[in-house]
Amino acid sequence: AFYNWGNDLGALAARTWEPAPAAARQLFDQAFAKYARATEIKPDMHEAFNNWGANLFLCARRSRKIGATVEADQMGLEAANKFDLAARIHPEGAERYWVAALPLLEVAASTGNTELAKRAKLLATSNAESLKSPLTTFTLALAHVLSGDRKSAEEIIRKLEVSADRKEWLDPFLTDSMLAPKLRALIESIREPKKDVAPRRPRRKRK
């Protein structure tokens, strides 16, 4: 009951944020309290930890957009920890929890903490090969950039053969992220410029 209650409050908070951020923030706090209660009753409920992390991450992103950077960083770290707990409880589904890399990367970008970026890189690396989706691949590329290894990031993007004007990378997890401009800039920077080829003049027929 508390788990479903938390889910409903989180969904309501997300819908409420745009017109009323303060009210939405209170709803998110209520959702977090319900997830906490659910995991007190059932400590091995990985679904509750996963959704707790997802709502923390969502609230962190919304808070960052209105300038609450310190609070957003704190919630980002909490979100990563909740995803990690879910993976420890349910290792069979651990490939889903690589998403913990995203809040870590956002906090790393916000604070300049390269150690967080390296931790995120380990999470993304462990699953990028098995999932092979643009989202995991781009997350790994961003982890390389933020940990100081731009060369590896460029190699990953080149292998994916994607350009910034295509839609492979337009996943909500990335497009709604503070990292989206950095990713687009990375993609654009390694695109080979198109060579302008002068049109050939038609040959005149000899009389």
Side-chain angles (χ1 to χ4, degrees):
F2 285 104
Y3 167 66
N4 291 330
W5 199 348
N7 290 342
D8 290 342
L9 284 166
L12 180 59
R15 293 195 301 270
T16 305
W17 188 280
E18 194 62 37
R25 184 68 179 84
Q26 292 179 352
L27 288 169
F28 271 123
D29 285 339
Q30 291 175 36
F32 304 152
K34 302 310 176 193
Y35 289 129
R37 189 73 183 97
T39 54
E40 285 175 9
I41 296 170
K42 191 176 180 183
D44 62 346
M45 193 176 190
H46 61 88
E47 301 95 338
F49 283 111
N50 178 64
N51 288 11
W52 192 352
N55 277 285
L56 277 164
F57 189 24
L58 177 59
C59 189
R61 284 185 162 182
R62 301 291 173 84
S63 298
R64 195 180 299 283
K65 288 182 177 180
I66 61 172
T69 304
V70 174
E71 186 180 35
D73 289 342
Q74 291 172 346
M75 283 191 288
L77 292 176
E78 287 182 39
N81 288 336
K82 296 298 183 284
F83 287 131
D84 185 57
L85 281 169
R88 290 175 186 272
I89 294 168
H90 187 55
E92 293 83 3
E95 70 277 359
R96 292 181 297 163
Y97 304 121
W98 66 268
V99 75
L102 285 170
L104 288 176
L105 286 175
E106 291 192 2
V107 178
S110 172
T111 62
N113 189 328
T114 56
E115 292 304 314
L116 288 177
K118 290 176 182 178
R119 180 181 162 194
K121 183 164 67 173
L122 288 174
L123 284 168
T125 302
S126 65
N127 290 287
E129 283 303 313
S130 60
L131 295 180
K132 292 185 177 180
S133 72
L135 178 57
T136 53
T137 304
F138 287 135
T139 301
L140 180 56
L142 286 166
H144 279 301
V145 170
L146 291 172
S147 59
D149 186 4
R150 186 181 177 85
K151 184 178 179 181
S152 294
E154 292 177 351
E155 289 175 358
I156 289 170
I157 298 297
R158 285 196 178 94
K159 285 180 182 178
L160 198 59
E161 296 181 348
V162 66
S163 62
D165 56 357
R166 288 172 62 185
K167 295 181 179 180
E168 287 90 338
W169 72 280
L170 297 179
D171 188 286
F173 268 111
L174 285 175
T175 54
D176 195 37
S177 172
M178 63 177 289
L179 300 172
K182 190 178 291 292
L183 176 60
R184 186 179 286 276
L186 174 65
I187 296 171
E188 287 285 9
S189 70
I190 64 173
R191 292 178 69 185
E192 294 183 3
K194 294 180 180 179
K195 295 179 180 179
D196 294 328
V197 179
R200 292 183 179 179
R201 293 181 179 178
R203 292 181 179 180
R204 292 182 179 179
K205 294 181 179 181
R206 293 180 180 178
K207 294 181 180 180

